[in-house]
Amino acid sequence: THNTISELPAADMSGLCLTIPHLVTLDLSRNAISKIEHLCPSLKHLYLSDNSLSLQIFVQMNFAVIKKLSRLVLLDLQNNQLEYIPSDLFYGMPQLDTLILRQNRLQYLDSTQFSYNAQLWNLDLSQNYFNSFNVSVLKNNTILHSLKLHLNSITILSKEFVEYANS
């Protein structure tokens, strides 16, 4: 953390993955990352908070880099520039239990956003730009323990949300 890394070239990251084949935690927080070409498939904890990540960057890397992290348990993308997250971004992460999306520019989540993340336990969506929250986003997340929505612009919670919270 606290470096000035701006890119993760495939050759460098592949070398790291070969040198440390059982790498499970990678913390690249507080850098200036705007390009990711490769990540170690062995990762279980990935910290990318406080970078310059945006939807455009994810589109440029065709989401493939993130989608291949099938062992990922924790993903921290807080304090980036994410305005939107494609509905299938987390599909390849069935073990994901903690997702931190705090302090981005999110306004909307697709109703199938977390359909393949049945192990999701902690979800932090605080400090974004949500005006409302569609509880159908969580329909397959029956073990969700913590949902953080503070410091958004939500003015009313639907009856469905209250029923979900009480179930």
Side-chain angles (χ1 to χ4, degrees), residues 13 17 20-28 39-48 65-66 68-77 90 92-100 117 119-120 122:
M13 289 305 296
C17 298
I20 311 171
H22 302 291
L23 182 68
V24 294
T25 300
L26 182 60
D27 189 342
L28 294 166
L39 290 167
C40 303
S42 59
L43 289 176
K44 290 187 177 187
H45 308 102
L46 178 59
Y47 299 89
L48 291 170
V65 173
I66 296 286
K68 290 180 182 177
L69 300 176
S70 62
R71 297 179 180 169
L72 210 60
V73 173
L74 180 145
L75 178 59
D76 184 350
L77 292 170
F90 308 117
M93 303 175 195
Q95 298 177 40
L96 189 66
D97 82 4
T98 299
L99 178 59
I100 304 168
N117 308 111
Q119 299 303 312
L120 198 59
N122 297 300

Side-chain angles (χ1 to χ4, degrees), residues 8 17 38 44 49 92 123 125-126 131 139 147 151 157:
L8 300 177
C17 298
H38 182 78
K44 290 187 177 187
S49 64
L123 177 58
L125 298 170
S126 60
N131 291 320
K139 64 185 168 203
L147 173 62
L151 296 174
L157 292 175

Side-chain angles (χ1 to χ4, degrees), residues 109-127:
L109 294 173
D110 189 273
S111 63
T112 60
Q113 197 79 56
F114 308 116
S115 295
Y116 294 92
N117 308 111
Q119 299 303 312
L120 198 59
W121 182 259
N122 297 300
L123 177 58
D124 188 345
L125 298 170
S126 60
Q127 295 178 309

